[in-house]
Amino acid sequence: MSRQFLLDGYNVLHKMPDLVGRTLEDGRNGLIRFIVDRRPHGSLRNALTVVFDGSEDVCSWPVVGEIDVIFSKGETADDLIKRRIEEAKNPRELILVSDDRELQHFAQAYAAEVWSVERFLEQARKTASGAQGRKAHSR
């Protein structure tokens, strides 16, 4: 079964020490690079949407297939995430990544799974170490 990850973009970005203190654009691009490199969302079949507050039209990082970057444009990122959860055909296939308690409770009310930012980052560490182990065995 494929899953749909919804990331509260700035909430995640501000919990990543390597990205804190950068310009917004550099931080966003760093987060996308991290996701592409580490694949914390697992299978290529799993889609991942990063939602940022703001009205930017594009992220300058060249986004690949399963990753979608959207800006809230006229509403808050939280409201956009809530709407995505409400409109989901099967919210049980959603995984919200955020430490925002209000968003977490909202997602849980729709039976979506909730991951803390720390769990997401830990999954990235596991995925990266597993990939390194596979590379070592293939040499």
Side-chain angles (χ1 to χ4, degrees):
M1 168 177 74
S2 63
R3 307 293 302 268
Q4 168 66 50
F5 283 75
L6 280 174
L7 268 69
D8 184 356
Y10 289 127
N11 187 266
V12 174
L13 188 155
H14 291 301
K15 304 275 171 74
M16 299 177 69
D18 292 346
L19 302 180
V20 173
R22 293 186 182 189
T23 66
L24 288 179
E25 183 178 7
D26 286 346
R28 290 188 300 259
N29 290 334
L31 176 58
I32 300 307
R33 179 182 302 276
F34 174 84
I35 292 167
V36 169
D37 290 348
R38 301 290 183 92
R39 302 203 43 75
H41 56 299
S43 169
L44 289 173
R45 295 183 311 188
N46 293 336
L48 186 142
T49 301
V50 184
V51 181
F52 292 111
D53 282 305
S55 60
E56 304 291 327
D57 286 327
V58 294
C59 187
S60 62
W61 178 256
V63 179
V64 294
E66 76 276 6
I67 300 172
D68 188 22
V69 178
I70 58 176
F71 292 86
S72 60
K73 296 181 183 176
E75 64 183 319
T76 68
D78 289 3
D79 288 342
L80 179 56
I81 290 169
K82 287 176 182 179
R83 191 163 38 83
R84 287 273 178 123
I85 293 168
E86 287 175 327
E87 294 173 354
K89 290 180 183 176
N90 186 356
R92 292 178 190 273
E93 294 176 356
L94 295 177
I95 298 174
L96 170 69
V97 178
S98 179
D99 286 343
D100 181 307
R101 294 266 190 224
E102 182 182 341
L103 274 180
Q104 289 175 338
H105 293 301
F106 186 89
Q108 289 167 336
Y110 281 85
E113 189 172 343
V114 173
W115 284 17
S116 67
V117 173
E118 180 55 37
R119 180 176 178 186
F120 183 74
L121 298 177
E122 179 60 31
Q123 184 63 36
R125 288 188 283 273
K126 288 178 185 176
T127 302
S129 65
Q132 289 172 353
R134 286 188 298 276
K135 285 180 187 176
H137 285 306
S138 65
R139 291 183 187 171

